[in-house]
Each structure stands twice: as structure tokens, then as C-alpha cells.
Amino acid sequence: SEGARSIDGLYVHTKEGWPPCGICRQMISEFASPDMKVVLGDGKGGEKEFDFWGQLLPQAFTPGHMKKD
């Protein structure tokens, strides 16, 4: 809403600490910075940090795939 085009970090909180679903990951990938981190929080106060591209979505279809050569 503020005109930003890149997400640097994301916090996801679920009762069990689940990661974003596949379609959410695809949508996030369209705006994720190259070094974006995702922190997953659970209902017990636990947190785990992941590298978005390397650990959560290593083979994403990105806007770069649609660029003309």
C-alpha cells in the first residue's frame, strides 16, 4: 500500500507453527527480496527462522521467468 515492491521479512504465526501453503509461497515469491527470511511462530511461543528461497521455495517460478530475452 505504500508503494514498496520488495518484502524483506515475513512472520507467520499458526497454532502448530506451519509454513505458508504453496499458493501463498508463490504469491510471496513475486515480491520477496533475494535474502528474505521467514520466521514461523507457534502457539507455544516457539519460533524457527528459514531462508525463503533456499529452504521454503528453492525452485520458485518468479517474475524473472517471464522476461523476454
Side-chain angles (χ1 to χ4, degrees):
S1 70
E2 302 296 321
R5 298 283 184 221
S6 181
I7 301 171
D8 295 325
L10 181 67
Y11 188 90
V12 178
H13 184 272
T14 64
K15 183 178 177 181
E16 302 296 329
W18 293 332
C21 71
I23 195 162
C24 291
R25 292 180 201 201
Q26 179 61 43
M27 293 177 75
I28 293 165
S29 75
E30 295 177 22
F31 300 98
S33 67
D35 57 348
M36 186 176 111
K37 300 293 182 196
V38 176
V39 177
L40 304 179
D42 64 32
K44 299 174 188 165
E47 292 183 342
K48 294 180 184 176
E49 183 175 294
F50 295 89
D51 172 76
F52 180 73
W53 295 106
Q55 294 174 301
L56 292 182
L57 197 62
Q59 296 297 318
F61 181 87
T62 66
H65 287 101
M66 298 181 63
K67 291 182 181 176
K68 295 180 181 179
D69 290 335

